[in-house]
Amino acid sequence: MLEAGSNLGFLVYPPLEKTEAYWVGYEGDGVYRYVYYVNPTGAKFESVFIVVITLPGSGAGMIREDVTFLTPTPATSRENALRMIRTMIVPEDLGTPAGAVTLRGAWNFQTPPGWDTVFTPIFNLTERPVIPMMVVRVETDWYAHESEFRYVLQAGQALSVSSTMPIGQAMFVPREQITTRDCTEDELAEIRRSAEQFGRDKAEQTQATPFGLQVSPHYLRQSREHSGVAPDIQPSSSGEKAGRNDPCPCGSGKKYKKCHGDNA
């Protein structure tokens, strides 16, 4: 899940069933559009309702929420539609700053005593352009916090979210006292030598993603080699095979069908 298959953190997914998806976009001037989809037959996703959220222009006042049902017979009420979007996003965080939208995770974490929980965007998501996350949140064991990830959209940008797409990453870091000292000349020389060798090896293995981003699997391969993990993908303990559109288990950031599933 992380670079080099580290157990440092956990990918967090949205609170959606496999038959559900949603789209949330920022139209500018404090206007957001949320579309809820379902795919009950497995054939295709169909839009069920739209909620247009308009923030008060002066920063003070009521948030306007307009609900439009797109099916001949509404499957739910306006109140339930608004409750549903509140399980996916945090309306109170919209517009702070302009374009910000906070996505809720499907599960929360209890921070152990003496540790911090760090919420971040996906580190090695290289297959598509990544919308920047506003802040890396560090939570402590004395403050309970839900798993939330606040991204900042530009006018015209949107996020398409499904049950198989992680929306963020949570890591757990122990609070330990750190002692610093100056490096010796020998240590500095070894750092330079190692960095130069690593740079040469990394450059030799550079690859281009479908979006033109230059990446190299060198770090992943070296980490697996030194940790004793086989470089090839091994079956999961559950015996389940990654779906063709799922993230590849190797941690490359590519879809399985474009990575180790290419010849599967």
Side-chain angles (χ1 to χ4, degrees):
M1 110 191 68
L2 301 182
E3 189 77 25
S6 169
N7 291 323
L8 179 65
F10 296 88
L11 295 179
V12 179
Y13 290 80
L16 293 169
E17 297 291 342
K18 292 182 179 180
T19 56
E20 296 178 301
Y22 70 83
W23 179 97
V24 58
Y26 180 58
E27 300 182 355
D29 297 326
V31 179
Y32 293 82
R33 183 178 296 268
Y34 175 98
V35 185
Y36 175 72
Y37 299 89
V38 295
N39 182 13
T41 64
K44 67 175 182 177
F45 280 92
E46 298 180 353
S47 51
V48 178
F49 63 79
I50 297 174
V51 178
V52 176
I53 302 174
T54 305
L55 305 181
S58 62
M62 297 292 291
I63 297 177
R64 179 177 173 180
E65 298 171 319
D66 297 312
V67 181
T68 302
F69 292 98
L70 304 176
T71 55
T73 302
T76 186
S77 65
R78 178 183 185 277
E79 291 71 21
N80 282 338
L82 294 177
R83 290 192 189 99
M84 289 174 67
I85 72 167
R86 280 172 169 75
T87 65
M88 314 297 175
I89 66 174
V90 184
E92 293 77 14
D93 288 347
L94 296 175
T96 53
V101 57
T102 300
L103 310 185
R104 294 190 193 272
W107 49 78
N108 299 322
F109 301 95
Q110 182 177 3
T111 305
W115 289 64
D116 286 321
T117 304
V118 185
F119 296 96
T120 74
I122 309 300
F123 281 169
N124 58 343
L125 188 62
T126 59
E127 186 169 297
R128 58 180 179 273
V130 179
I131 292 174
M133 185 173 169
M134 175 183 161
V135 64
V136 174
R137 310 189 70 137
V138 180
E139 307 299 344
T140 62
D141 51 49
W142 50 263
Y143 179 60
H145 195 278
E146 296 181 348
S147 295
E148 298 173 352
F149 303 88
R150 188 180 306 188
Y151 292 89
V152 180
L153 306 175
Q154 300 299 313
Q157 283 187 321
L159 288 165
S160 295
V161 184
S162 66
S163 63
T164 60
M165 187 195 81
I167 59 172
Q169 192 167 289
M171 302 184 299
F172 304 95
V173 183
R175 266 180 252 135
E176 297 179 349
Q177 184 175 356
I178 298 175
T179 302
T180 61
R181 62 172 176 82
D182 293 334
C183 287
T184 66
E185 290 299 323
D186 289 342
E187 288 171 333
L188 288 173
E190 175 59 24
I191 290 173
R192 296 190 190 99
R193 185 206 64 78
S194 177
E196 291 172 358
Q197 183 62 48
F198 181 87
R200 288 193 293 268
D201 294 341
K202 180 178 179 180
E204 291 175 357
Q205 301 179 41
T206 299
Q207 303 171 359
T209 71
F211 285 90
L213 180 65
Q214 298 295 310
V215 297
S216 173
H218 177 60
Y219 182 87
L220 170 65
R221 293 170 179 170
Q222 288 295 305
S223 179
R224 288 178 178 270
E225 178 181 333
H226 287 281
S227 64
V229 178
D232 294 330
I233 299 303
Q234 302 298 322
S236 66
S237 58
S238 64
E240 295 181 356
K241 181 180 178 181
R244 288 181 56 76
N245 290 315
D246 292 341
C248 187
C250 76
S252 67
K254 298 181 180 180
K255 289 184 179 179
Y256 179 65
K257 67 182 179 182
K258 295 182 179 179
C259 194
H260 283 80
D262 187 37
N263 298 318

